[in-house]
């Protein structure tokens, strides 16, 4: 079997009023009924909105309020058409396969109806064998009806009736912009008389208890079903399924054949000596073995072949330390090693998800890996991502928590029991399980997001809907954990009440000083699978989607445009309470991002201090599907990293030092006391920690030296920092932690305290005596990775005051920028060298403009250096 992709064909699309393309001509006049558009060039995969924009029929929907002028699009019917020129090759059977139709379609070939389809996440498959035998050219048409009127974020989950991505209908991080189109590949699947159907691949490792990997044995278990399209007498009995395994260097390490069983199933187990083990990011490497499955006869006639890449690893789950007996097993164990989850929640990468490119997936997965993250939760209000994403997670050690497509709705959150919904949900679940289970990165299945049988009470598998999903997972992927929903209870939201916080969500705001530090610092949750802090986007990005009249700080209450781009995430009053009145957009952005980074860092560190009583943290959220003024994301729509990304990266680092505190204000003369912790994956690691107390000129007011040796699977308290709070010129006090170990050295982003009586951080807005010089060590160098340029920046503060949150921006818009560290602090006289990597942008849909405005690798990146508060330095 092989596939011929039809994406590159000359596709066109045309809009109609509902039912017009079915009727065709006027009943009264007999004349042709014209469409609401002419035939337009179409992108496949893609979506109608981008095609309309390219044709000049809608304005850019992500700018200002323009998306509100596009809501007519979801209420029209859309016809795609193209012509298939059938090549000379023939097969016993040829199928036309749509891997992603959005949402309800009728498919025609030469004006003959092939069939109808409903749903985004299971294939639409049609037999084209006879048609292509009789015709060298086939006119293909796809009629997409108007989008169903599904629930948005606010509504009734119990009344949902589709498997369409619900964030399209308005969520707190998106607008109402309902996609219609062919959102995934279209292929011709050419097959012989017999073919491999579903293949189930899973791996395990035996003998790890011996303590020596050389004595371990890797196991690849494989089950394959076989389909017959034409079968002569006795022919089926002659079929064999052979499986071969090749190590990461391409050497054959195991092979076996199995005769086809009577029920059409073949089962094979390969055993591999001295396996190279797959680990999550930060715990080891990710070697991938290639598995080749061949369907053939005893005399060597081959009918079909499939290849897979997989990792060899042992997967299990355990209860947390000091866990209540009724708690679920929230700790992931891989190769007998408990894995502390350092995760992110991911929304779709674009509102119009059909336009997302493999390169965009690559950028997001790279940022996860470089950000010391090891798990991504694919949220149930979004999409089941395209195959390329899961392949990238396999290769980069990013464990996947995959939710089925259902989510809370606010008015009620009860899983829908509507018969048509359950039927569609089962189709989606079966399709997802059949494919995604073969990815070694897949670690957890979940029934959906925030499903609740009553307010603050997560649903469990006694619910008919979730019981069905649990049974499907048991049948089709029994080796993996199924969680009924996230959070999984016994209460939904983080709580002060002890013993009830198992897997919890919340909160999504900075809870203010000192409440934020009390709540998270004293919490006993077992697993924190969703929480966040909001912050304004980078000013570079704000200028891309806010027109000139809307580039002044304003409350969401007072601006329809700002409200449209992030109503829930209004931080102006919060930030003015900490910094004073905000009038400059850049200063507002930098200040808001500081609060987001500070608030998020504390939650991550507080959870990590309780390792493995707490099994991990999954930040809400990695990204956003459209540009928001403010959001809880770490990476904005344009692929720009916010300050919180780099502070989370440090909090997730394999070796990290943190400070436990309960407030940001500190009175002069107050006795300050704080525990200092070392976090490391490795036991027996000798660590020296220097804790410094500085003012904004860099003068050291107190210093403490602490030492310790890390223990297995627990955070190490190396001692306390104790001092009397000194008087400083502006009331600001900085505490910096520097560590040294045999694995290397590093320092924390400083913790900033204030003795000011007014807004705590107001004095920080007057830090304008820093002077930064920066130089690149060389000309930009091409990397081994295609589309990447590398350099090193040496940054020195020659001024008289601290330079806060130093970071580089790429100005051409042709590149994504990623670095070892950003948003770091330089005191007077200090120098920091950071590696810089720029990746040529290759976004799809509306992000293509980013690349067009920018440059190719023939034009080198242009960098700008910033520090707080909005000081700009040339590079």
């Amino acid at each position: 079997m092989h596939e011929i992709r039809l994406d590159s064909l000359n596709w066109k699309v045309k809009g109609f009023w509902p039912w017009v393309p079915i009727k065709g001509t006027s009943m009264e006049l007999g004349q042709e009924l014209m469409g609401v558009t002419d035939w337009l060039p179409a992108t496949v995969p893609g979506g109608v909105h981008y095609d309309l924009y390219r044709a000049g029929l809608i304005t850019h929907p992500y700018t200002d309020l323009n998306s509100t002028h596009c809501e007519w699009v979801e209420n029209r019917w859309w016809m795609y058409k193209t012509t298939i020129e059938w090549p000379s090759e023939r097969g016993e059977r040829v199928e036309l396969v749509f891997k992603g139709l959005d949402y309800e379609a009728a498919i025609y070939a030469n004006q003959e109806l092939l069939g109808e389809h409903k749903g985004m996440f299971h294939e639409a498959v049609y037999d084209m064998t006879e048609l292509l035998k009789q015709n060298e050219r086939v006119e293909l048409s796809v009629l997409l009806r108007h989008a169903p009127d599904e629930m948005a974020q606010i509504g009734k989950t119990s009344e949902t009736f589709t498997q369409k991505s619900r964030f399209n209908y308005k969520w707190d991080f998106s607008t109402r912009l309902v996609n219609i189109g062919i959102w995934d590949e279209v292929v011709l699947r050419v097959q012989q008389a017999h073919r491999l159907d579903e293949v189930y691949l899973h791996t395990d490792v035996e003998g790890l208890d011996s303590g020596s990997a050389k004595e371990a044995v890797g196991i690849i278990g494989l089950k394959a079903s076989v389909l017959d399209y034409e079968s002569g007498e006795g022919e089926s009995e002659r079929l064999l399924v052979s499986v071969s395994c090749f190590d990461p260097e391409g050497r054959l390490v195991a092979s076996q054949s199995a005769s086809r069983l009577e029920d059409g199933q073949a089962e094979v187990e390969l055993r591999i000596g001295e396996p190279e083990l797959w680990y999550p990011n930060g715990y080891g490497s990710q070697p991938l073995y290639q598995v080749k499955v061949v369907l053939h006869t005893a005399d060597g006639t081959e009918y079909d072949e499939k290849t897979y890449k997989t990792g060899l690893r042992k997967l299990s789950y355990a209860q947390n330390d000091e866990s209540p007996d009724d708690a679920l097993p929230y700790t992931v164990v891989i190769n007998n090693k408990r894995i502390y989850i350092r995760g992110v929640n991911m929304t779709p990468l674009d509102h119009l998800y059909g336009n997302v490119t493999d390169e965009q997936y690559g950028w997001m997965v790279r940022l996860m890996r470089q950000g010391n993250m090891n798990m991504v939760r694919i949220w149930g209000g979004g999409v089941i991502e395209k195959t390329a994403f899961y392949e990238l997670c396999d290769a980069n050690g990013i464990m996947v928590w995959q939710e089925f497509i259902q989510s809370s709705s606010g008015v009620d959150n009860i899983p829908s029991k509507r018969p048509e919904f359950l039927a569609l949900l089962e189709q989606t679940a079966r399709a997802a399980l059949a494919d995604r289970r073969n990815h070694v990165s897949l670690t957890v299945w979940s029934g959906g997001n925030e499903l609740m049988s009553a307010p603050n009470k997560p649903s469990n598998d006694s619910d008919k809907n979730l019981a069905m999903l649990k049974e499907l997972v048991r049948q089709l992927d029994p080796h993996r954990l199924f969680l009924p929903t996230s959070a999984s209870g016994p209460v939904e939201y983080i709580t002060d009440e002890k013993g009830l916080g198992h897997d919890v969500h919340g909160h999504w705001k900075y809870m203010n000083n000192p409440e934020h530090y009390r709540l998270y610092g004293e919490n006993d949750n077992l697993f924190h699978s969703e929480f966040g802090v909001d912050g304004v986007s980078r000013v570079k990005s704000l200028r891309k989607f806010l027109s000139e009249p809307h580039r002044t700080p304003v409350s969401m209450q007072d601006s329809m445009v700002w409200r449209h781009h992030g109503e829930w995430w209004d931080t102006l009053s919060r930030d003015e309470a900490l910094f004073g009145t905000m009038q400059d957009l850049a200063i507002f952005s930098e200040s808001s991002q500081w609060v987001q980074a500070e608030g998020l860092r504390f939650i991550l560190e507080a959870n990590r201090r309780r390792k493995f009583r707490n099994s991990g943290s999954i930040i809400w959220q990695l990204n956003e599907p459209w540009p928001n003024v403010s959001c809880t994301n770490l990476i904005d729509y344009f692929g720009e990293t916010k300050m919180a990304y780099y502070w989370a990266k440090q909090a997730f680092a394999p070796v990290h030092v943190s400070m436990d505190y309960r407030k940001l204000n500190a009175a002069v003369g107050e006795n300050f006391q704080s525990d200092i912790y070392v976090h490391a994956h490795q036991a027996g690691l000798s660590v020296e920690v220097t804790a410094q107390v500085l003012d904004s000129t860099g003068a050291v007011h107190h210093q403490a030296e602490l030492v310790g040796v890390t223990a297995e699977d627990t955070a190490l308290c190396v001692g306390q920092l104790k001092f009397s709070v000194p008087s400083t010129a502006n009331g600001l006090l900085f505490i910096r932690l520097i560590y040294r170990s045999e694995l290397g050295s590093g320092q924390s982003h400083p913790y900033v305290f204030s003795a000011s009586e007014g807004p705590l951080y107001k004095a920080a807005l007057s830090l304008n005596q820093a002077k930064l010089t920066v130089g690149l060590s060389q000309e930009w160098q091409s990397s081994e990775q295609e589309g990447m340029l590398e350099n090193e920046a040496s940054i020195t503060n020659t001024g008289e005051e601290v330079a806060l949150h130093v970071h580089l921006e790429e100005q051409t818009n042709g590149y994504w920028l990623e670095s070892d560290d950003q948003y770091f602090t330089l005191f007077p006289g200090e120098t920091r060298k950071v590696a810089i990597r720029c990746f040529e942008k290759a976004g799809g849909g509306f992000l293509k403009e980013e690349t067009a405005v920018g440059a190719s690798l023939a034009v080198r990146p242009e960098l700008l250096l910033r520090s707080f508060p909005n000081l700009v330095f040339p590079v």
Side-chain angles (χ1 to χ4, degrees), residues 402 404 432-433 436 442 444-446 473 477 480-483:
Q402 179 66 62
F404 296 112
L433 281 158
R436 278 32 174 199
L442 198 289
V444 177
W445 292 101
S446 170
V473 173
D477 195 13
R480 289 190 174 92
L481 177 67
F482 172 77
L483 294 175

Side-chain angles (χ1 to χ4, degrees), residues 525-536:
N525 65 79
L526 303 179
F527 188 24
H528 211 172
S529 60
E530 184 182 316
F531 61 92
V533 179
D534 47 351
V536 170

Side-chain angles (χ1 to χ4, degrees), residues 669-732:
E670 177 183 340
N671 290 323
F672 189 102
Q673 181 173 309
S674 175
D675 290 337
I676 306 299
Y677 284 82
V678 174
H679 312 276
H681 298 334
Q682 181 175 318
L685 185 68
S686 296
V687 183
E688 301 174 358
V689 179
T690 299
Q692 294 180 327
V693 182
L694 307 96
D695 63 25
S696 58
T697 69
V700 178
H701 290 261
H702 180 79
Q703 182 165 304
E705 302 293 339
L706 307 167
V707 296
V709 178
T710 60
E712 185 76 20
D713 289 346
T714 185
L716 168 69
C717 181
V718 290
Q720 288 187 328
L721 174 64
K722 300 179 182 179
F723 63 93
S724 177
V725 175
S727 175
T728 65
N730 53 19
L732 295 175

Side-chain angles (χ1 to χ4, degrees), residues 27-48:
M27 179 175 66
E28 293 83 0
L29 302 178
Q31 65 189 33
E32 179 185 358
L33 296 170
M34 294 182 288
V36 296
T37 73
D38 295 326
W39 286 106
L40 310 172
T43 50
V44 174
V48 169

Side-chain angles (χ1 to χ4, degrees), residues 374-651:
N374 60 23
M375 176 173 276
V376 59
R377 173 176 167 242
I378 308 301
W379 170 74
V383 300
I384 297 171
E385 299 292 348
K386 299 176 185 177
T387 300
F389 174 76
Y390 302 89
E391 293 173 344
L392 286 163
C393 290
D394 293 342
N396 287 278
I398 307 299
M399 297 180 291
V400 175
W401 170 324
Q402 179 66 62
E403 294 195 336
F404 296 112
I405 302 302
Q406 47 185 352
S407 181
S408 59
S409 296
V411 177
D412 82 43
N413 307 296
I414 301 168
S416 176
K417 313 297 189 304
R418 293 176 61 158
E420 69 272 32
F421 177 80
L422 291 178
L424 285 166
L425 179 62
E426 181 177 359
Q427 281 183 299
T428 293
R430 285 185 178 277
L433 281 158
D435 181 73
R436 278 32 174 199
R437 65 186 178 180
N438 292 331
H439 292 277
V440 66
S441 56
L442 198 289
T443 305
V444 177
W445 292 101
S446 170
N449 173 66
E450 294 182 353
L451 304 171
M452 290 176 256
S453 56
N456 200 32
K457 184 175 176 57
S459 301
N460 57 41
D461 53 25
S462 66
D463 182 278
K464 177 182 177 181
N465 173 311
L466 300 178
M468 176 190 73
L469 293 174
K470 181 180 181 180
E471 176 59 19
L472 287 173
V473 173
R474 188 195 67 79
Q475 291 176 14
L476 300 176
D477 195 13
H479 300 278
R480 289 190 174 92
L481 177 67
F482 172 77
L483 294 175
T485 182
S486 177
S488 53
V491 297
E492 180 75 22
Y493 303 114
I494 193 168
T495 176
D496 284 325
E497 189 172 351
K498 301 303 181 184
L500 292 182
H502 294 190
D503 168 22
V504 295
H505 283 191
H507 293 292
W508 297 266
K509 289 276 188 180
Y510 179 69
M511 303 301 289
N512 298 318
N513 178 56
E515 174 61 15
H516 189 86
Y517 307 95
R518 183 204 65 78
L519 172 66
Y520 294 113
E522 300 171 7
N523 212 260
D524 70 341
N525 65 79
L526 303 179
F527 188 24
H528 211 172
S529 60
E530 184 182 316
F531 61 92
V533 179
D534 47 351
V536 170
S537 294
R538 292 172 69 161
V539 69
K540 174 186 176 183
S541 295
L542 294 173
R543 289 173 177 151
K544 293 179 181 178
F545 64 91
L546 295 178
S547 60
E548 186 64 38
H550 303 291
R551 295 177 184 170
T552 302
V554 64
S555 168
M556 304 287 184
Q557 298 178 14
D558 300 324
S559 169
M560 288 180 61
V561 170
W562 278 46
R563 191 183 316 156
H564 192 59
H565 291 268
E567 172 187 355
W568 290 36
W569 312 117
D570 189 350
T571 71
L572 184 62
S573 61
R574 176 199 79 183
D575 300 332
E576 288 189 330
L578 287 168
F579 293 91
T581 303
M582 295 284 174
Q583 296 180 334
D584 180 83
L585 186 64
I587 290 177
F588 178 35
S589 169
E590 298 277 344
S591 301
S592 184
Q593 286 195 46
W594 182 359
V595 181
Q596 180 187 17
E598 158 65 25
L600 190 61
R601 170 178 67 175
F602 184 84
I603 302 171
L604 297 177
E605 291 179 343
N607 287 344
R608 196 171 177 183
R609 283 191 282 269
R610 296 187 298 109
K611 175 187 178 181
F612 270 98
R613 288 173 291 149
N614 165 273
S615 62
S617 304
I618 308 184
I619 301 167
W620 185 268
Q621 66 209 77
L622 176 70
N623 64 302
E624 61 184 3
W626 97 308
N628 286 288
V629 168
S630 180
C631 191
T632 51
N633 57 319
L634 306 181
I635 304 163
D636 71 24
Y637 171 72
F638 302 99
E640 303 283 349
T641 50
K642 295 166 70 175
M643 182 174 173
Y645 168 80
Y646 280 97
W647 283 33
K649 173 182 178 177
Q650 188 177 89

Side-chain angles (χ1 to χ4, degrees), residues 326-344:
D326 61 343
L328 295 171
Y330 295 119
T331 297
V332 175
V333 183
I334 291 184
N335 302 329
N336 291 351
K337 174 72 174 176
R338 290 196 290 179
I339 307 298
Y340 188 76
I341 293 172
R342 297 168 282 125
V344 282

